[in-house]
Amino acid sequence: MATERTLSIIKPDGVKNGHIGHVVSIFEDAGLKIAAMKMVVLTRKQAEGFYAEHSERGFFGELCDFMTSGPVVLMVLEGEDAIKRNRDLMGDTDPAEAASGTIRKLFAASKGENTAHGSDKPESAARELAYFFGAAFEIC
Ligand code: GDP
């Protein structure tokens, strides 16, 4: 299994509700390394660019409002099979459907405000890491 890098975001609800440490512990306990980390407040332009693939969806405005509503924590996770393992640790998009013990089941309130983002495939990870961390993390 290849070592990969993937983007994780602790969304504004996770930061506001005091779950940064819990989420980081879940990753580290699973053997994923935090290779880089920064806390930022996204601009509207950054949020819209990041979620551009959803721009035609009815929830796009709400999603961008939420993602710019407070600080987020951007992380580069590194480890074997990191992309899929991060997705597994996050759980289903809708916390009501998420498996027990997953980040979204533990901490998220709704499908919109769902605590964590994780790149869904290698192409997304490359784009998303470059988007927030620059060329150093384009290759995963
Ligand atoms: P993910 O890969 O599990 O994050 O899910 P998607 O790529 O399908 O959606 C991206 C993000 O858009 C989700 O994580 C949610 O924050 C948001 N989202 C998805 N569906 C809805 C919805 O029906 N309503 C709202 N408000 N947000 C949604």
Side-chain angles (χ1 to χ4, degrees):
M1 196 62 71
T3 297
E4 294 176 331
R5 293 190 180 115
T6 189
L7 181 76
S8 169
I9 305 177
I10 304 176
K11 296 184 180 184
D13 61 314
V15 174
K16 190 175 69 184
N17 295 328
H19 296 311
I20 297 172
H22 297 140
V23 173
V24 169
S25 290
I26 287 170
F27 292 139
E28 291 188 329
D29 290 349
L32 291 172
K33 184 178 156 197
I34 313 296
M37 176 187 251
K38 56 187 174 185
M39 184 186 277
V40 299
V41 178
L42 298 181
T43 65
R44 185 84 191 179
K45 198 172 167 192
Q46 281 178 311
E48 289 178 352
F50 183 73
Y51 281 115
E53 68 180 290
H54 295 303
S55 61
E56 303 304 319
R57 312 276 290 274
F59 59 78
F60 183 66
E62 201 177 316
L63 173 59
C64 293
D65 288 345
F66 168 57
M67 290 301 291
T68 57
S69 67
V72 299
V73 176
L74 306 170
M75 289 179 283
V76 181
L77 302 184
E78 184 178 285
E80 293 213 349
D81 204 17
I83 296 169
K84 180 176 185 303
R85 288 176 59 218
N86 178 32
R87 298 282 300 182
D88 290 346
L89 292 167
M90 283 163 49
D92 194 279
T93 309
D94 183 348
E97 304 291 328
S100 66
T102 59
I103 291 165
R104 284 166 164 172
K105 182 57 123 191
L106 287 167
F107 307 124
S110 68
K111 195 173 180 183
E113 304 201 3
N114 60 2
T115 312
H117 167 85
S119 312
D120 64 352
K121 54 183 184 289
E123 297 75 17
S124 310
R127 182 186 81 81
E128 294 175 2
L129 292 173
Y131 193 83
F132 286 125
F133 286 93
F137 290 97
E138 274 177 25
I139 297 169
C140 58

